[in-house]
Amino acid sequence: MGGAHVSADRSVAGRYRLVEITHRETHRVCWYADDVRTGHPCPVARTWIPRDAGDAARRAPSRVLRTAESMSRPCPGRTATVVGAVVEAGFLWTVLRTFRPGSG
């Protein structure tokens, strides 16, 4: 799949260096990124947050983390693990652990 390469100086949360867009949809873009602390690749999703979201935007990262944890309980090893979420520049950035089926 073709994608747009980005500058290596673009990072999220000072930790995830965006490398390549892997998927686009309305209000959401998914990236291949490198975790500069661990050196491991990871998927990162950027979701647009409406300007009038107010306090909901501030609470979004913790809600994403709680929801992901709740969803993983009934399906251990079969859902992607959310390792971080942050709001930057009007977007919710969600960082996942690379998913490998059967890796539990």
Side-chain angles (χ1 to χ4, degrees):
M1 169 189 288
H5 289 274
V6 297
S7 169
D9 64 349
R10 173 71 170 131
S11 67
V12 175
R15 178 172 178 174
Y16 304 98
R17 185 177 54 86
L18 302 177
V19 176
E20 183 176 8
I21 293 173
T22 59
H23 179 78
R24 289 179 186 268
E25 57 189 71
T26 305
H27 303 300
R28 183 177 157 106
V29 177
C30 298
W31 299 77
Y32 167 85
D34 288 323
D35 182 336
V36 297
R37 287 190 195 161
T38 66
H40 296 291
C42 58
V44 175
R46 181 188 76 186
T47 307
W48 175 74
I49 298 176
R51 291 177 206 241
D52 61 352
D55 199 42
R58 184 187 58 77
R59 293 190 315 264
S62 61
R63 293 183 73 174
V64 166
L65 293 170
R66 281 194 315 272
T67 300
E69 184 179 328
S70 296
M71 294 301 294
S72 69
R73 283 189 212 121
C75 306
R78 295 186 312 224
T79 61
T81 303
V82 176
V83 295
V86 63
V87 173
E88 282 187 3
F91 294 99
L92 170 65
W93 294 86
T94 306
V95 181
L96 305 169
R97 178 174 300 134
T98 303
F99 181 72
R100 293 181 188 98
S103 65

